């Protein structure tokens, strides 16, 4: 099979916000306890944070992490997680039917975020709580001193404010499963009032209103239209969530689900444009895709366990073990975010450690990287700059999810300074190579600096505690530059490629 693509220096999409390569930590399962935090572990620092996990997080160059939920946040009292640890209450978490010890709260998360070299994105409880609790949370985190909540923070050992710049206005409040579920009109009004109050405090803060929990909700897309109709002039982002799986055990159909993500973004982008026009507004609301990942391997079994267990503390939950197939699919999702970087400015892989995560740990044991870690790492490190509009043509296939699905999935980013280009490409075919030719227009002195590939015969191959490097990126081969200045070569079936080119503008 043959595929062609054209990359022109003048055909750009948008700058890629680095926060599109973010992640998420929720108080559920072992994401926090024995995930990032495990006092007594041989790799733990004096504050109980696992240094082995921190090393892997820093290697992701993680720009932002959303915290503390998720479904958890809709019945969460942030005050339970501050002050002396021995005075913090143990609470029942209704979302996951577990006990929350509150040994980690916002101050500990702020400490961890500094060590991880990441920005905090805090979510507030707009399910069981409301405006006053939210603004108290803001005052505790961001006000310098001289008020009740800011002085209380100083009393707890944090004189300097955390200065959190971006705030999530609740979580999935369109979902009937959510504690404090609301109608779109109820939520839109509340989100607008909270966002206004936050900007009375500091007009430079950014706020994220809840969009749909997924694009299969009966209320979608009317939810987005109603919420934005009420809150468009005060919020900065509308959030979207979506999880994917290969329950059908049909690889090509699974890979095509990246097109579902694309359609979701395009549809909500159209709603944003409609509301902007309706209100004659000059503001641009963007998309914050703050929950996305593969989640299906043990989803049914986990649901049954949650329903039956008796409020355990930090149990193993949603600990998906990912394979090569999942890594190739995640690479395509990241390509969508790059190609839609004009709309999507923040995205958070859910989650970061143990719970549907790129990093797994054993309690009192090692940490290791899952297959999906690597496409996220490569995109985070090399996907920042200006997204280029790649015009591609080649063979396609039809499946249940979509028709005319291209076997070649490709994105490209021109780095700051215009001296290098990152190309991310997936060959979705499970049995045929792609002969690829990429014309590079407006560039000269092109050189291949790096070619990394993830591929293998066994799509079910995984990284485990006993075989941690079964599926890892390797040096690629078979690509070259033609006399005409095109990048050409063969992409093996079921493979993901990162190609770094050094260039100069012609």
């Amino acid at each position: 099979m043959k595929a062609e693509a054209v990359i022109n220096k003048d055909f750009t999409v948008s700058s890629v916000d680095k926060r599109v390569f973010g992640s998420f930590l929720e108080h559920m399962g072992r994401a926090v306890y024995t995930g990032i935090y495990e006092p007594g572990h041989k790799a733990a620092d004096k504050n109980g944070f696992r240094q082995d996990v921190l090393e892997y997080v820093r290697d992701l160059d993680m720009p932002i992490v959303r915290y503390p939920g998720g479904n958890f946040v809709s019945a969460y009292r942030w005050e339970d997680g501050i002050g002396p640890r021995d005075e913090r209450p143990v609470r029942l978490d209704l979302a996951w039917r577990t006990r929350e010890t509150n040994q980690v709260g916002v101050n500990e998360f702020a400490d961890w975020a500094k060590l991880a070299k990441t920005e905090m994105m805090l979510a507030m409880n707009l399910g069981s709580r409301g405006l006053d609790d939210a603004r108290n949370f803001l005052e505790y985190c961001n006000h310098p001193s001289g008020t009740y909540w800011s002085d209380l923070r100083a009393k707890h050992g944090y004189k300097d404010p955390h200065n959190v710049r971006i705030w999530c206005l609740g979580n999935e409040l369109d979902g009937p499963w959510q504690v404090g579920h609301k109608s779109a009109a109820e939520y839109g009004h509340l989100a607008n009032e909270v966002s206004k109050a936050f900007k009375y405090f500091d007009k430079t803060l950014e706020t994220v209103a809840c969009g749909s929990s997924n694009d299969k909700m009966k209320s979608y897309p009317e939810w987005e239209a109603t919420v934005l109709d009420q809150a468009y002039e005060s919020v900065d982002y509308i959030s979207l969530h979506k999880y994917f799986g290969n329950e059908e055990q049909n690889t090509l159909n699974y890979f095509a689900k990246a097109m579902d993500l694309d359609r979701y973004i395009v549809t909500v982008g159209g709603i944003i444009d409609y509301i902007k026009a309706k209100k004659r507004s000059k503001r641009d609301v963007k998309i914050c895709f703050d929950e996305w990942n593969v989640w299906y391997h043990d989803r049914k079994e986990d649901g049954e366990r949650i329903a039956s267990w008796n409020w355990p503390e930090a149990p193993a939950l949603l600990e998906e073990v990912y394979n090569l197939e999942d890594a190739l699919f995640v690479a395509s999702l990241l390509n969508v975010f790059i190609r839609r970087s004009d709309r999507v400015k923040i995205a958070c892989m859910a989650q970061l450690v143990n719970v549907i995560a790129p990093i797994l740990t054993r309690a009192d044991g090692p940490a290791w990287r899952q297959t999906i870690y690597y496409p996220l790492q490569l995109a985070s490190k090399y996907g920042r700059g200006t997204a280029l509009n790649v015009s591609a043509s080649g063979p396609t296939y039809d499946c249940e999810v979509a028709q005319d699905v291209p076997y070649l999935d490709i994105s490209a980013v021109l780095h700051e300074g215009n001296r290098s280009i990152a190309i991310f490409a997936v060959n979705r075919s499970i049995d045929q190579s792609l002969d690829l030719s990429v014309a590079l227009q407006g560039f000269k002195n092109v050189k291949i600096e790096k070619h990394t590939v993830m591929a293998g015969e066994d799509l079910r191959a995984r990284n485990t505690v006993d075989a941690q490097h079964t599926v890892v990126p390797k040096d690629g081969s078979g690509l070259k530059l033609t006399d005409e200045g095109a990048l050409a070569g063969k992409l093996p079936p079921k493979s993901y490629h990162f190609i770094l080119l050094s260039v100069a503008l012609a």
Side-chain angles (χ1 to χ4, degrees):
M1 297 192 298
K2 293 184 178 181
E4 297 180 342
V6 177
I7 298 175
N8 186 296
K9 71 176 179 66
D10 295 322
F11 297 162
T12 62
V13 178
S14 172
S15 61
V16 181
D17 193 312
K18 66 180 182 179
R19 296 176 299 178
V20 84
F21 307 114
S23 194
F24 173 36
L25 274 171
E26 182 172 358
H27 280 254
M28 67 176 295
R30 298 192 309 113
V32 174
Y33 305 113
T34 70
I36 66 167
Y37 176 79
E38 189 177 353
H41 190 281
K42 64 181 180 181
D45 65 10
K46 63 181 181 179
N47 295 314
F49 298 127
R50 288 187 55 155
Q51 297 298 297
D52 51 351
V53 173
L54 274 167
E55 180 182 352
Y56 288 154
V57 174
R58 286 192 290 261
D59 282 348
L60 285 169
D61 200 4
M62 184 62 62
I64 195 166
V65 176
R66 178 174 173 243
Y67 173 89
N71 292 355
F72 171 81
V73 81
S74 289
Y76 177 56
R77 289 178 49 84
W78 64 269
E79 302 95 328
D80 292 341
I82 60 176
R85 279 198 174 99
D86 59 0
E87 297 178 9
R88 297 181 189 180
V90 175
R91 301 284 192 190
L92 297 181
D93 168 33
L94 301 178
W96 306 110
R97 288 184 55 83
T98 57
R99 282 185 300 132
E100 171 56 48
T101 64
N102 287 299
Q103 293 303 288
V104 171
V106 65
N107 292 324
E108 288 80 19
F109 179 65
D111 289 339
W112 179 87
K114 289 178 182 178
L115 294 171
K117 299 181 179 179
T118 192
E119 180 183 356
M120 301 165 65
M121 179 165 72
L122 292 184
M124 65 190 74
N125 177 357
L126 292 187
S128 66
R129 310 185 83 185
L131 174 57
D132 277 348
D133 300 305
R135 68 186 185 90
N136 292 343
F137 193 19
L138 172 64
E139 184 180 312
Y140 182 89
C141 290
N142 281 24
H143 195 63
S145 63
T147 66
Y148 175 82
W149 291 109
S150 60
D151 289 347
L152 184 61
R153 183 196 66 244
K155 181 180 178 180
H156 293 157
Y158 295 83
K159 180 181 178 181
D160 295 329
H162 298 316
N163 196 27
V164 180
R165 308 313 303 163
I166 184 162
W167 296 80
C168 298
L169 306 174
N171 175 77
E172 291 188 358
L173 287 162
D174 64 322
W177 59 84
Q178 203 74 202
V179 173
H181 162 65
K182 293 172 174 57
S183 69
E186 289 173 322
Y187 172 71
H189 175 76
L190 178 59
N192 184 54
E193 294 306 314
V194 174
S195 186
K196 287 193 306 182
F198 272 47
K199 293 184 178 185
Y200 292 154
F201 175 86
D202 181 348
K203 65 181 180 181
T204 68
L205 295 178
E206 293 183 297
T207 56
V208 184
C210 293
S212 292
S213 302
N214 61 75
D215 56 349
K216 301 298 187 287
M217 298 292 293
K218 291 182 179 180
S219 57
Y220 167 81
E222 288 87 356
W223 174 276
E224 279 78 6
T226 301
V227 169
L228 286 175
D229 196 34
Q230 299 213 30
Y232 192 89
E233 294 297 343
S234 68
V235 303
D236 301 282
Y237 304 90
I238 186 84
S239 75
L240 300 180
H241 295 175
K242 190 170 178 63
Y243 295 96
F244 303 85
N246 186 15
E247 295 88 352
E248 308 85 3
Q249 295 300 304
N250 182 329
T251 297
L252 287 178
N253 191 65
Y254 180 36
F255 287 167
K257 291 179 182 181
M259 298 184 73
D260 275 348
L261 174 64
D262 190 80
R263 285 193 292 259
Y264 195 6
I265 293 168
V266 170
T267 299
V268 174
I271 295 168
I272 292 171
D273 290 344
Y274 163 66
I275 298 297
K276 179 180 179 180
K278 179 181 177 181
K279 293 185 173 295
R280 279 59 173 175
S281 178
K282 296 181 179 180
R283 301 184 74 248
D284 287 316
V285 171
K286 299 298 184 180
I287 292 172
C288 174
F289 218 111
D290 53 29
E291 285 189 34
W292 69 272
N293 206 344
V294 172
W295 176 18
Y296 79 100
H297 291 285
D298 299 309
R299 188 167 185 169
K300 180 180 179 182
E301 293 79 0
D302 277 327
E304 293 171 349
R305 290 195 307 120
I306 293 169
S308 64
W309 64 30
N310 188 26
W311 308 100
E313 180 182 321
L317 179 62
L318 275 60
E319 297 195 7
E320 298 267 293
V321 180
Y322 294 112
N323 56 36
L324 172 61
E325 182 182 63
D326 299 324
L328 300 181
F329 178 65
V330 163
S332 282
L333 298 181
L334 290 161
N335 277 350
V336 173
F337 290 135
I338 291 171
R339 291 193 296 263
R340 296 296 179 186
S341 56
D342 57 331
R343 293 290 192 185
V344 181
K345 295 301 181 181
I346 304 172
C348 301
M349 177 186 275
Q351 293 186 18
L352 185 56
V353 186
N354 287 329
V355 177
I356 46 176
I359 301 169
L360 285 179
T361 73
R362 283 278 179 89
D364 199 30
W368 68 99
R369 292 168 285 198
Q370 296 228 63
T371 62
I372 64 170
Y373 177 98
Y374 298 104
L376 178 62
Q377 181 188 44
L378 289 168
S380 179
K381 286 183 177 291
Y382 297 102
R384 307 178 188 193
T386 300
L388 298 172
N389 192 346
V390 183
S391 176
S393 62
T396 63
Y397 66 93
D398 297 337
C399 61
E400 181 182 347
V401 170
Q403 293 182 323
D404 297 322
V405 181
Y407 283 104
L408 173 66
D409 179 64
I410 188 169
S411 70
V413 175
L414 178 63
H415 294 150
E416 186 177 355
N418 302 325
R419 295 181 179 180
S420 57
I421 299 172
I423 297 174
F424 306 95
V426 177
N427 178 5
R428 291 176 168 134
S429 175
I430 59 176
D431 54 12
Q432 296 187 63
S433 295
L434 273 177
D435 289 319
L436 177 63
S437 177
V438 182
L440 301 165
Q441 299 178 348
F443 302 99
K444 63 182 181 180
N445 302 332
V446 181
K447 295 180 181 178
I448 301 174
E449 298 292 342
K450 190 176 183 66
H451 176 202
T452 299
V453 62
M454 291 185 72
E457 288 300 318
D458 184 8
L459 284 171
R460 303 293 178 259
R462 300 173 171 184
N463 296 339
T464 67
V465 65
D466 298 318
Q468 298 184 17
H469 302 98
T470 302
V471 183
V472 296
K474 297 179 181 178
D475 289 340
S477 61
L479 294 179
K480 63 180 182 179
L481 295 168
T482 67
D483 293 339
E484 293 76 25
L487 176 70
K490 194 179 293 290
L491 306 185
K494 46 185 184 294
S495 62
Y496 165 60
H497 301 259
F498 159 66
I499 305 113
L500 180 65
L501 305 175
S502 62
V503 299
L505 298 185

